Amino acid sequence: MPSNTLSPLSLAASLLLVSGWSHAGDTDKVVIDDKMPIESASFCDLFDAGTLYEGDGFIKEIALHSRYHGQFISQQEEVEGSPNNGFHEYQHRRFRLGFNIEMANDLSFVVEANVADLSGLTREAFIDDFQEFYFKWKPSDEFFIAVGKQKHPFSREDIESSKRIKTIERSAIVNEVGGGRPWGAVVGFATGEFQHAVGGWLYGGHLEAPSWVDFESHGGLSYNLSREISKSTTLYFDYAYTANDGGNSSSQGPAAQDFGLSYEHSLAVGASYEKDRFELITDLVGGFNREASGTIPVGEDTWGFYIVPSYDLTDNLEAVFQYAYLDSGREQRPQRSDVRQNVENYHTFYLGLQYFLCGENLKLTGGYEIATGDVFGTSTGIETGTWMVGVRSYF
């Protein structure tokens, strides 16, 4: 099978051609034309070179976008003080490619695919599935409609794009209760100081790429509310309903793939704070009437919370801490990469750094996480220590 990958040199050259840059005779300058010299280009300028087309017709702009997230995980897990499982491996965490198309009348179209090549980034197919595939109409800052496959909005940590999250992985409580990119429609609007978003969803899809919506799958609803109470602080409330018969059936119903939430009712109450070099996000999360999973019975409830403070040590270096608690549920990344235990009374502590080479477009990130708790339904203790180092890039 022929390779679908481009060499780094070919990719860089393509991006430079797409951006429309041209070099003048002065090797120290990059110019748009002879009358408008600008400063020498830097490596980081490559991340602004995704625009393929700009015009005055119905199609205003077509921009290519992509992200690659790789990480090395070194982990050891112990059960009752004895080594139980562990692994040391490099993971292609995310490799995505897509387009943003801006159109007249405040319309836009976003498509992003999880792609693969022969090195096993996902499966041996160029398109694994669609991560996002939606149309959006946003005539003002206070109103929008988005229709298609998109992120299910739930919690500060999950709503934030993986391009900008501050930890290698999101907390266990958020991944346990939230997550998913189902097919649906969201309407956003403002009333006074409050921002609202109401969504309707279908949680199942077909197995074959690109996993189109299955209209026989189960559905759900979501509601998001936020209010800025000061220039530095915003409060949030998120709720999601999944038609899973109190946990007796899965959200996907008869569909082949499940893009939904595992709980019939999910809610999060949180806040974000940002001032000077300091930032903080936090959510109190609850999930009610869970689908069965291994030793976790039908109708199980859970709750938990996380807090993620961060501080800019320099313009390029940021310190990050995360504490999270999960009452009960399944282990999440990075633990899920090996043996995925069902746990309870689960605490995680993460301390790490982010070094920004080209802002959020290219950064190195890493840290150490300790996780402690019990195997679900027992008093058997479980403890995991994980070193994580990653590269995050996008344009």
Side-chain angles (χ1 to χ4, degrees):
M1 181 181 293
S3 173
N4 292 315
T5 58
L6 292 174
S7 70
L9 182 60
S10 298
L11 178 59
S14 299
L15 292 174
L16 288 174
L17 289 173
V18 164
S19 70
W21 289 350
S22 60
H23 288 269
D26 183 356
T27 58
D28 293 330
K29 302 289 184 182
V30 177
V31 298
I32 301 301
D33 57 46
D34 292 338
K35 298 180 180 179
M36 295 292 292
I38 61 175
E39 296 298 323
S40 298
S42 72
F43 170 78
C44 294
D45 292 331
L46 290 172
F47 296 100
D48 296 323
T51 301
L52 304 178
Y53 169 82
E54 289 182 316
D56 297 325
F58 180 75
I59 302 298
K60 301 296 184 183
E61 180 180 287
I62 301 175
L64 175 70
H65 62 87
S66 179
R67 77 185 72 181
Y68 175 76
H69 296 169
Q71 59 198 37
F72 179 78
I73 304 295
S74 180
Q75 179 181 113
Q76 182 63 55
E77 188 167 79
E78 296 182 352
V79 177
E80 285 293 274
S82 299
N84 186 64
N85 61 78
F87 62 96
H88 314 278
E89 65 182 30
Y90 183 83
Q91 303 169 346
H92 301 288
R93 182 65 173 88
R94 302 176 185 90
F95 181 31
R96 298 173 186 165
L97 183 67
F99 295 90
N100 288 352
I101 301 177
E102 301 295 330
M103 295 168 275
N105 303 316
D106 304 303
L107 291 171
S108 61
F109 172 64
V110 175
V111 58
E112 184 176 61
N114 292 303
V115 299
D117 67 6
L118 297 181
S119 63
L121 295 183
T122 51
R123 299 188 304 195
E124 290 190 0
F126 184 72
I127 294 180
D128 188 348
D129 59 12
F130 285 145
Q131 185 76 3
E132 295 182 321
F133 188 101
Y134 66 89
F135 289 89
K136 188 173 184 177
W137 179 50
K138 189 176 181 180
S140 71
D141 291 337
E142 298 182 343
F143 182 81
F144 73 86
I145 298 175
V147 180
K149 192 175 191 294
Q150 56 194 298
K151 178 176 283 190
H152 195 295
F154 185 83
S155 82
R156 286 346 86 221
E157 198 175 44
D158 195 49
I159 288 174
E160 181 61 90
S161 170
S162 63
K163 297 183 293 187
R164 290 179 290 274
I165 57 174
K166 297 177 180 292
T167 54
I168 291 282
E169 300 291 353
R170 298 178 174 94
S171 62
I173 181 61
V174 167
N175 284 325
E176 168 67 23
V177 178
R181 277 180 168 79
W183 294 85
V186 179
V187 178
F189 58 95
T191 59
E193 300 297 321
F194 295 91
Q195 300 290 327
H196 311 262
V198 179
W201 307 94
L202 287 172
Y203 289 129
H206 296 289
L207 181 61
E208 295 79 12
S211 303
W212 295 109
V213 60
D214 189 326
F215 289 97
E216 295 183 358
S217 63
H218 292 169
L221 301 170
S222 65
Y223 174 68
N224 306 89
L225 174 70
S226 66
R227 184 187 178 188
E228 185 179 282
I229 62 173
S230 71
K231 291 183 178 179
S232 59
T233 305
T234 304
L235 301 180
Y236 303 88
F237 172 78
D238 305 320
Y239 171 76
Y241 166 75
T242 301
N244 68 359
D245 189 25
N248 287 288
S249 64
S250 66
S251 60
Q252 72 193 68
Q257 287 209 60
D258 189 356
F259 302 130
L261 282 61
S262 297
Y263 292 82
E264 183 178 28
H265 303 282
S266 306
L267 61 88
V269 179
S272 63
Y273 177 85
E274 181 177 358
K275 187 173 183 180
D276 300 326
R277 292 178 174 266
F278 180 77
E279 295 182 46
L280 182 146
I281 59 170
T282 184
D283 273 292
L284 175 64
V285 178
F288 307 92
N289 294 336
R290 197 195 196 286
E291 303 166 9
S293 174
T295 56
I296 300 177
V298 170
E300 180 76 10
D301 299 337
T302 193
W303 71 278
F305 65 93
Y306 70 87
I307 180 170
V308 182
S310 59
Y311 186 81
D312 293 331
L313 300 173
T314 69
D315 290 342
N316 297 93
L317 185 64
E318 181 180 46
V320 180
F321 175 76
Q322 180 198 70
Y323 168 71
Y325 175 77
L326 170 66
D327 177 60
S328 65
R330 294 189 297 173
E331 284 186 309
Q332 304 291 336
R333 292 182 185 272
Q335 289 78 15
R336 67 180 292 181
S337 298
D338 194 30
V339 177
R340 193 175 184 184
Q341 305 269 8
N342 290 328
V343 295
E344 60 186 13
N345 193 30
Y346 195 66
H347 306 260
T348 59
F349 306 84
Y350 173 90
L351 182 62
L353 294 169
Q354 293 199 103
Y355 185 76
F356 301 96
L357 297 168
C358 297
E360 295 282 3
N361 293 108
L362 179 62
K363 64 183 181 182
L364 302 177
T365 181
Y368 185 73
E369 181 186 86
I370 296 174
T372 64
D374 297 318
V375 176
F376 183 84
T378 74
S379 58
T380 301
I382 184 171
E383 181 173 333
T384 309
T386 309
W387 286 103
M388 296 173 271
V389 179
V391 58
R392 300 291 188 256
S393 65
Y394 77 92
F395 67 87

